């Protein structure tokens, strides 16, 4: 109460103005009943308290909210149970993956997310591969290779069709391969020594090479061998029309994909589940919650450290699969300090791979060289550089580094791999006297600085591709590693027609690369997959690049 | 916190002759009277700890933050690791300690930036040139709705995640907010007789601004700046989580929070600590502003009045919190009754609506209506 | 300044600010290294493919040319197409906005439902203990990082992971708002986690505004007319304070976007925030610049609307006079 204050009283003006002058107030009896005030103008403004005009909006708002809550809870509970089931098998299954594709253009867009989603599900290749990374028949039911390894003759299945009804025949295969090579689509660089492809009959095509190429068939099981409908025209970035068991029904970039089974699929392995919803869960926490609440029936990958509770829960199944992912700590072969092999070797001795693997949950596998177990030429090279900080320090001292002249190196890597790895490397290298300066950047920046401009000391990337040893035989690759011996071994390995000989040569080359300490292979990342009991047919091996879903079924327990 | 108080009753509380008591004496009294209230004491303790820990962490942490152990990840608290370890086996307590230094620097710089920007804008807003002042007012109105995170995203694109992004984004946003909140009060002071007379005596705009205006808006500044500091701590954690804040490798609370979030299902304890630290510090900063405002202002702080009086100047003592006699000692200060008078002086003769009282009322509400208050930037 | 002049000036500034933001955004995006072509081409791409892609995407044009092309499109209401997905940016934003804006609105509704009544109660409370308690509640509530409150809600109420499995903790139904129940459900926890924090701010503001009103002449007047203190405060005080509350709510809505983006990430909602971050990561510059500009325009517009509404609903300003101290 501040009655003495001048200039504050504006009797009734605010309230009156707020209501509007022209609105009739509840005036009944205002004249004959004494008002609360002696001032008649105030009495006019006075309204009895019974009308609670002011609180009505609030009541309404809270009522609507409460109603919305109840309705949503109710419909939500019902909505969860509307999955149609056929003979005990669920009509639709949700799976949770991590890396989302930005578009569906498998001919131009890089990244294994597209391979994972489309190859074998929507698009099919001339040949396919199994879960052990071996080539199996695809659109071609069999093939012959000439003795000199220069001519491959593929015999296609009969009666094949695309999901749009167009028949799939040799003409489509030839067109697809020619387009690939002419337009430099993704995968074209993998078809080394390509010369020509020709149609021989309605169901036969012949691929010719200029020189033998040992990995040709395997490469044809990937993007290079995909067959597209040469008569169809659609926007490849938002749609996908192939010959596979599934159709893309809905695609939301970076979020989700819905696959529907193609009822007219030509092949024997028709999709067993009608609808598959794929959700891309970037946040590990959200992914785990989705699995636990049953929003997804299977999650791949699940961070191994988060899988613990699921392992001990009998209603879940957790399994780590083999994979070809190599976490490569690249050391710039032309870098200031890292061009010295003693520095590179010291770094390899300084890293405690077992500890790194333990901190990641223990699912991964130590890897001493560039070739992972699922690839030809694998050999256990972990013995070459055991964890030995003393030796690392000696090597550094020989190279001229020590307390008086500390070695500072910069590690540049993409932020998708998380800070933990960098922090641990810094700590382990610190123990031998190397100061690691860590620069985490976006993948696009990494591509520019490290991959394109080779401006780095150390770099960390998960090289997920299989059969990618050629990187070490390519001096212009960002490793800056150039060894005539390795190049020669690799070329021989590709030129030979004998698979065994090729394998031995690759193993030799890999040992050489590892001995040169061209990089350190921190570990072979093995994907951990977790699913609800009752789910069957989900690939565990290699499922980040190859995820055929035709056999997937789910029987609710 | 009470914007109305800033806007109205405590206005123009230019402390009586600060020189007499001396800066240190004054500080002692102010801190003492803050200490006597629970909120003030809490905020003083937490903030002192913050500064102390930041300093200590530059030289010593229980475990080096760079030492990791892959076999000892996500440990529960133990003697070796008082708060446990994180996903690399590093000591969480040490990271939080090291992070406090980063956050302290970041908050200080953000607040400094916002103060410079805010005061600059206020200066333009009270400029006698109507063109300048009105343009700036509308400019602030237009820009104030740009969210901090949008600015941070734009900045983070070329700069990458860095401290600078957080500092600039926060400083910019809070500076605008500050200008908007301080403006009504600054306007009143700018229109007061003593500013008028100073101006007519040829005193420069800068000098007027810093000798007459700034002291008068110090209470609001205290509240706003300390609140901005709190919000910047929250903003840091949010922006770092979104990947545009502090880069990894630089310890900060947001970094600790972000790295532990992933594992909340399995190791819920680890996420508790950074969140707790952030909340405690932000609460302390919010309370600190209020407490400081109350303590620094002789109108509301009888202890300070007494101390000033004791220092030798004849200031009539009064027992009430805000009696009109409080400021009679100073020719510069505006008493509560005087305030309205000044304000009315300042008011240009309004359109001839004939109702002086309603006119006055209009103005005093306008003044409040101009500042959106603390609700604006505290929702990270 | 009359209303018309005010509007004119405000609109001119709005447009000027938009142009400034568009230049800023465009320039900021060109400084950074990396481009969408190399991201699309990937690790094993020969340089020729990158060059070819760049040409096809129009990245080889000069910067001023790119800016003019973009601005020209904007004038015609064409936000361009994403280089990566080849979908119109407008459609992309529209799709994501269906998650983000309902989320903001839900959060705001929760904040208002909590903040205003509690703020009133706190201002009207007579016992000092009650006042101190509500003050502390507001301060602590506003000091919690959105990330933390989100986690707390997940641990308490999420299906599967929470103590009381009530609500989904992640994701948005693929069918979107065709399943309104599920959609609303999936927004509830994230909305709560931002709404409570914002609500604390609004509560604090309401409390101080109403506290002012209590000591102002309005409430005295109401009491003199026979209302109780509470009635006077709520019916007169709150109404007098409402224009200011509108301002605060408008600004709050703009500032909420940070918390909302954190929540989107935490609860794996396909909203604008996650889209922006993904697009920046992929260097899909055409999309990012249009998205950022669109968001900036939205918030600038929001500020404009709040200012106008403020002037419209405040009868004291309706006569169009705005007194400036300009002496």
């Amino acid at each position: 109460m501040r009655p003495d204050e001048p200039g504050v009283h504006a009797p009734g003006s605010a309230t009156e103005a707020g209501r509007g002058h022209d609105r009739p107030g509840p005036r009944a009896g205002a004249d004959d009943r004494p008002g609360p005030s002696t001032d008649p103008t105030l009495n006019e403004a006075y309204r009895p308290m019974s009308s609670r005009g002011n609180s009505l909006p609030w009541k309404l708002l809270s009522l609507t909210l409460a109603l919305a809550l109840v309705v949503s809870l109710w419909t939500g509970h019902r909505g969860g149970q509307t999955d149609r089931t056929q003979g005990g098998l669920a009509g639709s299954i949700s799976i949770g993956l991590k890396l989302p594709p930005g578009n569906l253009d498998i001919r131009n867009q890089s990244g294994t997310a597209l391979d994972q989603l489309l190859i074998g599900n929507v698009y099919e290749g001339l040949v396919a591969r199994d879960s052990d990374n071996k080539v199996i028949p695809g659109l071609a039911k069999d093939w012959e290779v000439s003795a000199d390894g220069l001519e491959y003759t593929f015999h296609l299945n009969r009666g094949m069709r695309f999901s749009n009804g167009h028949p799939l025949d040799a003409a489509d295969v030839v067109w697809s391969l020619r387009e690939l090579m002419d337009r430099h689509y993704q995968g074209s660089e993998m078809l080394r020594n390509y010369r020509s492809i020709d149609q021989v009959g309605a169901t036969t095509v012949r691929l010719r090479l200029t020189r033998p190429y040992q990995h040709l068939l395997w490469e044809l099981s990937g993007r290079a061998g995909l067959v597209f409908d040469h008569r169809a025209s659609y926007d490849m970035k938002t749609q996908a029309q192939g010959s596979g068991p599934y159709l893309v029904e809905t695609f939301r970039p970076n979020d989700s994909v819905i696959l529907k089974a193609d009822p007219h699929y030509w092949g024997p392995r028709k999709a067993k589940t009608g609808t598959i919803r794929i959700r891309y869960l970037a946040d590990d926490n959200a992914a785990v919650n989705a699995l636990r609440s049953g929003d997804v029936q299977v999650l791949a990958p699940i961070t191994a450290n988060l899988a613990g509770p699921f392992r001990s829960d009998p209603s879940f199944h957790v399994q780590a699969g083999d994979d070809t992912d190599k976490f490569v700590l690249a050391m710039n072969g032309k870098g200031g300090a890292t061009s010295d092999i003693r520095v590179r070797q010291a770094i390899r001795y300084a890293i405690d791979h077992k500890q790194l693997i333990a901190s990641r949950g223990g699912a991964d596998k130590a890897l001493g060289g560039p070739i992972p177990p699922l690839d030809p030429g694998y050999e256990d090279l972990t013995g070459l550089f055991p964890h030995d900080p003393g030796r690392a320090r000696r090597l550094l001292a020989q190279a001229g580094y020590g307390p008086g002249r500390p070695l500072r190196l910069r590690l540049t890597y993409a932020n998708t791999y998380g800070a933990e790895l960098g922090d641990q490397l810094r700590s382990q290298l610190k123990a031998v006297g190397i100061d690691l300066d860590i620069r985490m950047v976006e993948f696009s920046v990494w591509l520019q600085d490290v991959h394109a401009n080779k401006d780095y000391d150390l770099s960390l990337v998960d090289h997920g591709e299989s059969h990618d040893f050629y990187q070490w035989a390519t001096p212009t690759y960002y490793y800056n590693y150039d060894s005539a011996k390795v190049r020669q071994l690799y070329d021989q390995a590709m030129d030979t027609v004998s698979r065994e000989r090729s394998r031995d040569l690759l193993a030799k080359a890999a040992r050489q690369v590892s001995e040169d300490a061209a990089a350190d292979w921190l570990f072979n990342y093995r994907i951990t997959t977790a699913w609800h009991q009752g789910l069957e047919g989900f690939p565990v091996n290699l499922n980040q690049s190859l995820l055929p879903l035709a056999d997937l079924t789910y029987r609710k327990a | 916190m009470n914007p109305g108080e800033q806007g109205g009753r405590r206005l123009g509380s230019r402390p009586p002759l600060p020189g007499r008591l001396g800066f240190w004496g004054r500080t002692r009294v102010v801190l003492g009277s803050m200490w006597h209230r629970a909120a003030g004491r809490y905020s003083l303790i937490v903030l002192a700890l913050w500064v102390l820990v930041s300093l200590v962490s530059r030289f010593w942490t229980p475990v080096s933050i760079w030492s990791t152990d892959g076999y000892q990840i996500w440990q529960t608290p133990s003697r070796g690791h008082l708060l446990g370890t994180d996903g690399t086996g590093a000591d969480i307590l040490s990271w939080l300690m090291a992070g406090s230094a980063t956050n302290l620097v970041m908050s200080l710089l953000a607040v400094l930036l916002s103060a410079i920007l805010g005061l600059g804008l206020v200066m333009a807003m009270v400029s006698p040139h109507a063109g300048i002042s009105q343009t700036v007012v509308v400019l602030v109105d237009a820009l104030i709705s740009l969210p901090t995170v949008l600015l941070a995203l734009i900045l983070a694109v070329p700069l990458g995640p860095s401290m600078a992004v957080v500092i600039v984004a926060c400083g910019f946003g809070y500076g605008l907010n500050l200008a908007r909140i301080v403006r009504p009060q600054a306007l009143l002071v700018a229109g007061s007789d003593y500013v008028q007379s100073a101006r007519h005596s040829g005193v420069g705009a800068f000098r007027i601004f810093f000798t007459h205006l700034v002291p008068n808006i110090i209470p609001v500044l205290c509240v706003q700046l300390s609140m901005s500091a709190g919000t910047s701590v929250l903003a840091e954690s949010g922006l770092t989580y979104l990947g545009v804040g502090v880069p990894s490798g630089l310890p900060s609370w947001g970094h600790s929070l972000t790295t532990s979030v992933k594992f909340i299902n399995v190791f819920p304890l680890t996420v508790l600590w950074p969140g707790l630290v952030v909340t405690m510090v932000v609460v302390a900063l919010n309370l600190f502003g209020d407490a400081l405002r109350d303590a620094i202002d002789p109108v509301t702080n009888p202890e300070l009045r007494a101390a000033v009086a004791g220092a030798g100047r004849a200031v009539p003592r009064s027992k009430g919190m805000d009696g009109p006699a409080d400021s009679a000692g100073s020719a510069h200060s505006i008493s509560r009754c005087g305030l309205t008078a000044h304000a009315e002086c300042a008011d240009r003769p309004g359109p001839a609506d004939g109702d002086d009282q309603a006119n006055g009322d209009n103005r005093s509400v306008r003044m409040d209506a101009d500042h959106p208050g603390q609700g604006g930037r505290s929702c990270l | 300044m009359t209303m018309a002049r005010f509007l004119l000036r405000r609109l001119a500034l709005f447009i000027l600010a938009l142009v400034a933001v568009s230049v800023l955004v465009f320039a900021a995006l060109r400084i950074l290294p990396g481009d969408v072509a190399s991201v699309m081409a990937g690790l094993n791409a020969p340089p020729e493919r990158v060059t070819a892609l760049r040409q096809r995407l129009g990245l080889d044009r000069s910067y001023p040319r790119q800016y003019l092309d973009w601005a020209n499109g904007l004038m015609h209401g064409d936000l361009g197409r994403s280089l990566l997905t080849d979908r119109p940016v407008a459609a992309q934003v529209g799709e994501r906005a269906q998650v983000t804006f309902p989320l903001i609105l839900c959060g705001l509704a929760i904040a208002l439902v909590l903040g205003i009544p509690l703020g009133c109660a706190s201002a009207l409370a007579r016992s000092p203990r009650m006042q101190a308690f509500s003050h502390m509640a507001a301060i602590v509530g506003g000091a919690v990082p959105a990330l933390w409150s989100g986690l707390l809600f997940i641990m308490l109420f999420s299906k599967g992971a929470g103590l009381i499995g009530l609500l989904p903790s992640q994701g948005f139904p693929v069918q979107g708002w065709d399943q309104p129940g599920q959609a609303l459900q999936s927004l509830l926890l994230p909305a709560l986690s931002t709404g409570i924090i914002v609500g604390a701010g609004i509560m604090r503001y309401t409390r101080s505004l109403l506290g002012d009103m209590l000591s102002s002449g309005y409430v005295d007047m109401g009491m003199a007319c026979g209302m109780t203190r509470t009635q006077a405060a709520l019916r007169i005080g709150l109404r007098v304070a409402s224009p200011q509350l509108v301002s605060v709510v408008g600004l709050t809505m703009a500032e909420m976007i940070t918390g909302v983006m954190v929540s989107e990430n935490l609860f794996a909602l396909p909203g604008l925030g996650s889209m922006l971050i993904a697009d920046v990561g992929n260097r899909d510059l055409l999309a990012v610049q249009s998205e950022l500009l669109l968001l900036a325009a939205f918030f600038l517009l929001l500020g404009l609307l709040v200012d106008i509404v403020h002037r419209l609903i405040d009868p004291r300003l309706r006569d169009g006079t705005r007194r400036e101290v300009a002496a």
Side-chain angles (χ1 to χ4, degrees), chain B residues 197-230:
Chain B
S197 50
R199 189 168 286 146
H200 290 307
S201 334
V203 182
F206 273 97
R207 186 138 173 237
I208 291 182
F209 185 73
F210 285 105
T211 52
H212 296 308
L213 256 118
V214 172
N216 271 304
I217 54 178
I218 272 189
V220 197
L221 276 183
C222 287
V223 176
Q224 274 310 307
L225 290 181
S226 97
M227 198 128 97
S228 297

Side-chain angles (χ1 to χ4, degrees), chain A residues 69 102-103 110 189 237 451, chain C residues 40 43 49 83-85 188:
Chain A
L69 184 72
N103 63 55
S110 66
E189 69 278 4
K237 282 189 175 172
H451 189 259
Chain C
M40 283 177 78
L43 279 176
R49 188 188 305 141
L83 295 177
L84 200 62
T85 63
L188 217 55

Side-chain angles (χ1 to χ4, degrees), chain B residues 1-4 141-142 145 147-149 157 183 242 264 271 348 361-362 365-366 371-372 376-377 379-380, chain C residues 10 13 29 139 143 146 148 155 198 205 208 212 218 244 248 254-255 257-258 265 299-300 307 316-317 323-324:
Chain B
M1 217 142 317
N2 198 332
D141 281 354
S145 55
T148 317
V149 68
V157 169
R183 176 174 159 264
L242 291 176
I264 177 139
V271 81
R348 270 177 296 174
D361 185 41
N362 247 358
V365 174
R366 247 322 287 145
H371 63 86
R377 297 257 169 200
C379 20
L380 290 146
Chain C
R10 198 68 181 68
L13 244 129
L29 290 181
I139 284 201
W148 215 42
M155 292 181 72
V198 177
Y205 193 71
S208 71
D212 277 6
Y218 301 110
Q244 284 156 271
V248 173
E255 239 351 88
I257 190 81
T258 311
N265 248 307
F299 288 113
L300 290 173
D307 265 20
R316 291 158 296 190
L317 301 170
R323 288 175 190 80
E324 298 292 335

Side-chain angles (χ1 to χ4, degrees), chain A residues 348-364:
Chain A
R348 294 202 65 184
Y349 280 120
I351 293 174
D352 183 353
H353 301 93
K354 280 202 191 101
Q355 197 189 109
L356 287 180
I357 291 169
S359 76
R360 290 171 54 87
D364 304 327

Side-chain angles (χ1 to χ4, degrees), chain A residues 75 255 271 528:
Chain A
T75 51
D255 178 51
T528 304

Side-chain angles (χ1 to χ4, degrees), chain A residues 160-413:
Chain A
M160 294 188 294
R161 64 189 288 289
F162 288 103
S163 61
N164 55 10
H166 295 166
L168 190 165
D169 54 25
D172 294 292
V173 177
V174 171
W175 178 81
S176 300
L177 266 285
R178 285 189 181 155
E179 283 278 294
L180 172 84
M181 297 315 290
D182 291 349
R183 306 205 173 198
H184 301 287
Y185 287 138
Q186 291 275 344
S188 58
E189 69 278 4
M190 297 304 177
L191 290 195
R192 275 166 51 125
N193 314 330
Y194 167 87
R195 184 170 174 192
S196 66
I197 181 152
D198 297 295
Q199 186 172 347
V200 180
T203 57
T204 310
V205 293
R206 185 168 298 145
L207 181 74
R208 286 201 177 83
L209 298 179
T210 51
R211 287 174 61 161
Y213 180 33
Q214 178 59 230
H215 287 170
L216 179 82
L217 281 173
W218 188 87
E219 292 296 350
L220 285 177
S221 71
R223 291 196 182 192
L226 293 183
V227 176
F228 303 94
D229 181 2
H230 76 281
R231 274 167 293 195
S233 74
Y234 57 93
D235 180 8
M236 284 203 65
K237 282 189 175 172
T238 54
Q239 290 169 295
Q241 288 179 10
S243 58
Y246 282 103
L247 314 167
V248 175
E249 190 182 61
T250 322
F251 168 60
R252 292 185 180 204
N254 300 320
D255 178 51
S256 62
V257 179
I258 300 180
L259 298 177
K260 271 256 184 315
D262 179 2
H264 309 297
Y265 177 57
W266 64 269
R269 282 176 64 191
K270 280 194 168 31
K272 291 183 179 165
T273 301
T275 307
I276 293 192
R277 292 174 41 201
I278 298 175
R279 289 189 49 202
Y280 293 95
L281 296 155
D283 189 282
D284 291 346
N285 217 12
V288 167
N289 287 339
L291 178 67
R292 185 168 302 167
S293 63
D295 283 0
V296 298
Q297 279 82 49
V298 51
L299 180 62
I302 179 172
T303 310
N305 277 327
L306 289 178
F310 294 102
R311 279 183 216 280
S312 51
D313 188 334
S315 55
F316 289 95
H317 193 93
V318 179
Q319 192 180 333
D322 288 330
D323 237 298
T324 55
D325 285 54
K326 306 159 287 286
F327 270 71
V328 181
L329 181 74
M331 309 187 203
N332 192 346
K334 292 180 181 157
T338 44
S339 53
D340 187 337
I341 187 171
R342 289 167 302 191
V343 170
R344 300 202 303 263
Q345 287 174 336
I347 292 174
R348 294 202 65 184
Y349 280 120
I351 293 174
D352 183 353
H353 301 93
K354 280 202 191 101
Q355 197 189 109
L356 287 180
I357 291 169
S359 76
R360 290 171 54 87
D364 304 327
K365 202 167 174 172
L367 184 69
I371 298 183
L374 279 181
D375 277 354
Y378 169 73
E379 188 185 357
D380 185 358
L381 298 172
T382 48
L384 283 182
F385 291 89
H387 178 53
D388 188 347
R391 204 143 157 200
R393 265 191 296 267
R394 280 196 297 282
L395 278 165
L396 282 177
Q398 283 169 25
Y401 299 100
R405 186 173 163 231
L407 176 56
R408 293 187 66 87
L409 292 174
R410 166 172 278 198
L411 169 64
T412 310
Y413 72 105

Side-chain angles (χ1 to χ4, degrees), chain A residues 105 108 183 185, chain C residues 51-60:
Chain A
D105 189 354
N108 285 308
R183 306 205 173 198
Y185 287 138
Chain C
T51 331
L53 263 175
R54 204 168 278 152
Q55 228 159 31
R56 193 164 346 138
L57 298 173
L59 295 172
D60 51 347

